[in-house]
Amino acid sequence: MNMNFATPLIADHSVRSLLAKRADETPDAPYLIDETGQTLTYREADAGARSVAALIAAQGVQPGQSVAYAMSNGIDAALVILGALYGGYLTVAVNLVAGQETVSYVLDHSKSRLVLHDEGAKELVTSALSGQETPPELLQIGPDAFIHSPISYPDIAASADGLLMYTSGTTGRPKGVVLTHGNLLAGGANAVLAHVLTPDDRALCVLPLYHINGLCVSLLGSLVSGSSVVIPPKFRVSTFWETVVETRCTWLSLVPTQISYLLHEVKLSEPPAGVRFARSASAPLSPDVQTAFEAAFGVPIVETMGLTETAAQILSNPLPPGTRKIGSPGIAFGNEVVIADPLGQEMPPGEEGELLVRGPNVMREYLYNEKATRDSLTSDGWLRSGDLGRMDADGYVFITGRLKELIIKGGENIAPREIDDALYSHPDVIEAAAFALPCPHYGEKVEAGVVLTEGTDMDGASLVAHCIAKIGSFKAPDHVHVFDALPKGPSGKIQRIKLAAQVSRD
């Protein structure tokens, strides 16, 4: 519950004022690095952000109005995000894999005045805006974007709105999460606190900067700690460890699917030099996968948990030699968490309930959605996460499932996570997700989808038998479907509802 410890790190800063502070105090320290080693110092990053802010102002956009970015990872994308925040604009993240219809909705709902995009996103953005009556202006980012133009920049309070990021959503329209500058930096500070980041650290960011993990943990966590971040265009299994070693990264932020693919497809003769830890977030990590990864690569994994609504991280396991509890995303850093009953009353240790979060990183609201905001935020500042879990006597949280994803078979609640872990315990399973389908006898039945290692002779029926041996016939899936890939959101989290819908159509 170390909520107050974040305050000295961010001290009522906005993103702009903190970047300017770094440029003033450590101008030649590296900040943004690409996979080739090209490096921007804090002074150069500050100048680049100022240039982007001036470019936006030149398009007639006023501070406080919405400016969207649609860009793949890289130094340019980082500068565009920092620049839009620097100028006091409400910075709207466009998920490049969300599909044309969703992108169209996001740009319309956010009332974006301008979309900054790269060449790769041009077709997507143009198609998404084709049916809008008053579409925003489009501006492709090129070298001229970072030629400094001196203008007067407004002061920005920590309480000013900074980022608008839409939840991926499995049903209905995505909700626009409004995060202030203070929220964003508190999210970065939580990663600094939990992972003991210093100016000597260097992050590897292979998660998209239009997702809260890549933006707050890697980009802003590095800013808060005064350290540096390497930003390749995307995650590549074949060159992952080579990039880590050549760019001298000290920590890595990954999601469970990436961890699983590295485990199954890459071999190393020795541990990567200089890597302190890898962190896992965005979805629960199978204990078997975590143990196997650490044995294979000699890199400890710190499991964490975060939400878009909390500017990323809320929980983390301590770094070694602190106590890491396998299967738990850890304890609270920089915010408070409780496990509560449906009335909001805190549950005793070991009892299951909903995870609630309160702290300076918690969102201000859902944009233009008062009902959803009221339903999610209590009058005393607690955010209802929608996650079910329990807390042990040491304050470690164990997530048992999502309220909306529970499988109710014959009146019994079954957490999909338990079936997932049983499937991941088989060495040939790379991805796994259990889900519910209607059943005339039990109301709902358990099924699952998997991705298997190439060349295996394992099949769905054999995996059903494997699950029966692990967790019993009642909880084991009736069928296990084998796929080339499972549907995922922008963070890499497998989307169970989409998987169930896909199976129902087939």
Side-chain angles (χ1 to χ4, degrees):
M1 312 280 184
N2 307 314
M3 176 177 170
N4 294 328
F5 291 179
T7 305
L9 295 177
I10 53 178
D12 295 323
H13 276 291
S14 67
V15 171
R16 175 193 164 195
S17 66
L18 185 57
L19 181 56
K21 175 183 171 69
R22 294 277 176 254
D24 180 58
E25 295 180 352
T26 56
D28 298 322
Y31 179 30
L32 305 175
I33 305 169
D34 70 14
E35 63 183 351
T36 71
Q38 177 189 351
T39 301
L40 291 190
T41 64
Y42 274 100
R43 179 197 290 118
E44 292 167 333
D46 179 73
R50 291 173 70 91
S51 299
V52 171
L55 181 69
I56 296 170
Q59 313 308 308
V61 186
Q62 299 300 311
Q65 293 183 322
S66 297
V67 173
Y69 65 94
M71 301 183 69
S72 299
N73 272 20
I75 289 178
D76 286 0
L79 288 176
V80 163
I81 295 165
L82 293 169
L85 292 166
Y86 204 105
Y89 304 103
L90 181 58
T91 306
V92 182
V94 174
N95 175 358
L96 298 183
V97 298
Q100 177 182 323
E101 183 178 343
T102 298
V103 172
S104 178
Y105 171 79
V106 164
L107 295 176
D108 180 59
H109 184 262
S110 64
K111 299 182 180 177
S112 291
R113 291 284 312 279
L114 177 69
V115 183
L116 304 175
H117 65 90
D118 56 20
E119 175 64 30
K122 181 178 181 179
E123 182 178 350
L124 170 65
V125 175
T126 303
S127 300
L129 295 176
S130 60
Q132 293 191 10
E133 292 184 8
T134 55
E137 295 294 322
L138 300 182
L139 186 61
Q140 185 166 320
I141 294 300
D144 291 346
F146 309 110
I147 299 174
H148 182 53
S149 174
I151 65 170
S152 176
Y153 299 95
D155 290 334
I156 303 169
S159 59
D161 291 344
L163 182 73
L164 178 59
M165 185 172 284
Y166 285 76
T167 57
S168 55
T170 51
T171 59
R173 292 292 195 183
K175 297 191 290 290
V177 177
V178 178
L179 295 165
T180 67
H181 282 252
N183 294 153
L184 293 171
L185 293 179
N190 288 355
V192 175
L193 290 170
H195 307 323
V196 198
L197 300 180
T198 74
D200 294 327
D201 276 303
R202 179 163 296 172
L204 179 69
C205 179
V206 290
L207 300 175
L209 290 173
Y210 52 75
H211 181 257
I212 201 68
N213 190 323
L215 198 161
C216 276
V217 172
S218 299
L219 182 64
L220 296 184
S222 297
L223 174 62
V224 171
S225 61
S227 58
S228 54
V229 55
V230 177
I231 314 174
K234 61 181 179 179
F235 172 71
R236 297 188 187 94
V237 175
S238 60
T239 60
F240 178 83
W241 291 115
E242 180 182 342
T243 299
V244 169
V245 173
E246 289 185 354
T247 57
R248 303 191 303 280
C249 293
T250 64
W251 64 282
L252 324 167
S253 189
L254 301 166
V255 296
T257 50
Q258 293 171 335
I259 290 169
S260 187
Y261 274 102
L262 288 169
L263 174 62
H264 285 90
E265 298 186 15
V266 180
K267 305 295 181 186
L268 288 183
S269 58
E270 59 184 7
V275 179
R276 294 201 292 124
F277 68 95
R279 68 185 297 280
S280 175
S282 298
L285 179 64
S286 161
D288 290 285
V289 171
Q290 178 170 350
T291 302
F293 182 95
E294 293 182 355
F297 300 119
V299 175
I301 292 181
V302 175
E303 188 172 2
T304 70
M305 180 180 175
L307 308 167
T308 302
E309 290 87 343
T310 60
Q313 186 170 295
I314 56 174
L315 299 167
S316 177
N317 278 270
L319 292 176
T323 301
R324 291 180 299 143
K325 296 193 177 184
I326 304 296
S328 166
I331 60 178
F333 282 91
N335 46 213
E336 302 172 273
V337 299
V338 295
I339 302 296
D341 65 16
L343 297 178
Q345 299 301 307
E346 186 171 355
M347 304 286 285
E351 295 292 319
E352 186 179 74
E354 185 179 6
L355 177 68
L356 306 186
V357 188
R358 183 169 65 181
N361 53 319
V362 172
M363 70 170 188
R364 188 173 68 78
E365 66 173 0
Y366 290 116
L367 187 69
Y368 310 135
N369 197 333
E370 293 182 6
K371 182 181 184 304
T373 302
R374 286 196 308 270
D375 290 346
S376 296
L377 289 173
T378 69
S379 58
D380 51 354
W382 290 99
L383 173 77
R384 298 184 175 97
S385 72
D387 288 291
L388 287 171
R390 55 185 174 82
M391 185 185 294
D392 68 14
D394 299 321
Y396 286 75
V397 174
F398 292 80
I399 299 298
T400 54
R402 291 283 295 170
L403 283 168
K404 295 179 180 179
E405 291 180 348
L406 277 178
I407 302 168
I408 305 175
K409 179 180 177 181
E412 296 291 328
N413 291 346
I414 300 174
R417 168 76 188 270
E418 189 172 358
I419 297 104
D420 295 353
D421 286 348
L423 289 164
Y424 276 119
S425 70
H426 194 284
D428 289 342
V429 174
I430 299 177
E431 297 180 5
F435 53 88
L437 286 182
C439 174
H441 303 294
Y442 291 103
E444 289 184 332
K445 61 180 178 178
V446 183
E447 299 206 359
V450 297
V451 175
L452 300 176
T453 56
E454 188 174 352
T456 180
D457 58 1
M458 182 57 54
D459 58 20
S462 300
L463 286 171
V464 170
H466 173 79
C467 289
I468 291 173
K470 284 280 185 180
I471 56 177
S473 58
F474 185 79
K475 292 182 178 179
D478 291 346
H479 298 282
V480 174
H481 307 266
V482 179
F483 296 96
D484 293 331
L486 301 185
K488 302 178 189 70
S491 67
K493 184 185 297 184
I494 297 169
Q495 296 182 316
R496 300 180 196 275
I497 294 177
K498 288 186 177 180
L499 181 57
Q502 182 177 334
V503 168
S504 298
R505 290 194 303 268
D506 293 345

